[in-house]
Amino acid sequence: MVYRKIQNTDVSISQLGFGCMRLPLTDIYDPTAIDEEKAVEMLRYAVEHGLNYFDTAHPYHRETSERFMGSTLSRMYRDRICLATKLPMWHVKSADDCDRLFKEQSQRLQTDRIDMYLLHALNKRSWKTVQEYDVLSFLDGLKKKGKIQYAGFSFHDELPLFKEIVDAYPWTVCLIHLNYVDCDYQAGLSGLEYAYKKGIAVQIMEPLRGGKLAQRVPREVQEIIRRTDRDQSAAQFALRWLFNRPEVCCVLSGMSSLDEVRENIEFASHDHRDTISDEEMKLYAEARAVYRKRTRINCTQCGYCMPCEQKIPISFILELYNDAYMYNAHDDSCRAYRVFIRPENRPDKCTQCGTCEERCPQNVPIIESLQEAHKSFTQD
Ligand SMILES: NC(=O)c1ccc[n+]([C@@H]2O[C@H](COP(=O)([O-])OP(=O)(O)OC[C@H]3O[C@@H](n4cnc5c(N)ncnc54)[C@H](OP(=O)(O)O)[C@@H]3O)[C@@H](O)[C@H]2O)c1
């Protein structure tokens, strides 16, 4: 495993981190049904092979990820790893909420010190909440009392706000959405460089665009990857683009099987910094153009929008809609829609309450997109 230093500290972490948002399930329709036996096996393999950074959060697996991590780590490895979780800003309606949520998270994680504590999914709205309830002083207090070691934030908004937040506090880490397709999206590459220069350790989420850059890769992109003359999978092609950048401290991967853990750890055991030539960068640009042309809706199936009061399986429907364009497979998506989505859970039953859009970190116009998908799948 290759380790990278967290700037302004004497701590180094593995360049591959474990994102605990997509753990294996015993029932694919129930995000709380973590397959503990498989997940423990993956976690054990990861630590035994040098991975030492784990990232969870209050809402992951409908609030069961922290609990699972707590019960597992209380039995093993707690002192060998750096554990990160995040304050769910959307639940902060008063200064007391910060305290209450932090206590709840410490209990779930069964620890009296959280190594890395991030403000979750900062955007214009939640940044106002941070200021209104003086959440930055709250972080100072936690650090002073030794309840957290380092503070950071994850981000989902535009670059100017990102810079404002970077400049507002002595953050140790920040977590941004970045991959070779979404290189100028939200904070993007400019944000990466900006934060790095300010001494912040930058971590990456959605490195494989939620898996879309690694699985069922369009034939045109497979052909481009072959032209790199490297023996590599699509996942490695995407991870290489991130590991190539010295400004990246840690790439979080939401692995959901032992095979993925094995493959990604093996890849992260090599130093890929500055290994991509200008010629090869042109191939990334070609692959980016293919994905951009074929992506209808910018949904990465992170599931933050769920649950829906009407039980509409939002991310599944948006995935079917995207797949129809990505693979020229409208008929397949249409069939799957009619077979798997019950009439009472279809978008025409949406009450437009807007909760899903408030929760979406990618600002997807979910209500409109669902209607579009429904129309396209039901018209003959
Ligand atoms: N703070 C925030 O707002 C926020 C938002 C999003 C994510 N995050 C954090 O960032 C982490 C990473 O983001 P992400 O989970 O979206 O990561 P990602 O790496 O873009 O996507 C993860 C998916 O990629 C697939 N995958 C992983 N390795 C693979 C391999 N070697 N070959 C083929 N497929 C592979 C798996 O799909 P299958 O499951 O289909 O196998 C997995 O579920 C999250 O887990 C979470 O901890 C934070």
Side-chain angles (χ1 to χ4, degrees), residues 17-23 54-57 60 86 90 118-122 153-156 175-179 204-215 233-236 239 251-257 259-264 300-302 304 319 361-362:
F18 204 127
C20 305
M21 186 177 93
R22 303 186 196 256
L23 296 166
F54 288 82
D55 173 271
T56 182
Y60 292 174
K86 315 185 189 84
W90 54 95
L118 287 79
L119 305 185
H120 201 164
L122 287 190
F153 66 98
S154 70
F155 183 77
H156 290 288
L175 176 56
I176 62 172
H177 174 134
L178 193 70
N179 55 60
I204 306 300
M205 58 182 145
E206 313 259 0
L208 304 178
R209 246 189 171 198
K212 290 280 178 282
L213 302 184
Q215 296 170 18
S233 67
Q236 291 163 350
L239 292 175
V251 176
L252 299 182
S253 178
M255 298 168 282
S256 58
S257 72
D259 283 346
E260 290 172 356
V261 177
R262 281 205 186 102
E263 175 179 349
N264 296 353
T300 59
Q301 272 77 55
C302 71
Y304 280 35
E319 183 175 22
Q362 317 294 352

Side-chain angles (χ1 to χ4, degrees), residues 42-191:
M42 288 160 63
L43 203 140
R44 193 186 289 274
Y45 183 93
V47 179
E48 296 297 335
H49 290 80
L51 189 152
N52 67 0
Y53 193 87
F54 288 82
D55 173 271
T56 182
H58 193 269
Y60 292 174
H61 287 279
R62 297 250 173 95
E63 302 196 14
T64 55
S65 173
E66 285 181 329
R67 237 183 269 282
F68 164 73
M69 291 304 289
S71 72
T72 305
L73 294 173
S74 66
R75 287 180 274 128
M76 56 195 188
Y77 303 137
R78 178 65 190 95
D79 51 344
R80 282 171 61 176
I81 64 137
C82 187
L83 178 62
T85 194
K86 315 185 189 84
L87 178 67
M89 290 306 303
W90 54 95
H91 287 322
V92 176
K93 311 280 183 224
S94 72
D96 289 346
D97 283 339
C98 296
D99 251 331
R100 179 182 58 75
L101 287 158
F102 182 79
K103 276 191 195 124
E104 183 179 301
Q105 292 181 285
S106 303
Q107 274 165 9
R108 287 177 179 180
L109 288 167
Q110 300 187 32
T111 186
D112 48 17
R113 196 196 61 177
I114 292 169
D115 305 310
M116 203 68 83
Y117 197 52
L118 287 79
L119 305 185
H120 201 164
L122 287 190
N123 57 22
K124 277 184 205 72
R125 192 176 337 123
S126 53
W127 185 233
K128 275 201 190 118
T129 309
V130 170
Q131 286 151 336
E132 192 175 350
Y133 301 119
D134 200 9
V135 180
L136 299 179
S137 298
F138 170 71
L139 290 178
D140 282 338
L142 291 178
K143 279 197 271 184
K144 215 177 274 165
K145 288 180 216 150
K147 294 190 171 184
I148 64 171
Q149 190 168 12
Y150 301 115
F153 66 98
S154 70
F155 183 77
H156 290 288
D157 210 310
E158 302 296 320
L159 182 62
L161 180 69
F162 179 75
K163 291 183 174 174
E164 183 185 327
I165 295 173
V166 163
D167 292 342
Y169 187 76
W171 308 102
T172 300
V173 292
C174 68
L175 176 56
I176 62 172
H177 174 134
L178 193 70
N179 55 60
Y180 76 82
V181 176
D182 306 316
C183 56
D184 46 12
Y185 173 68
Q186 297 187 350
L189 280 175
S190 309

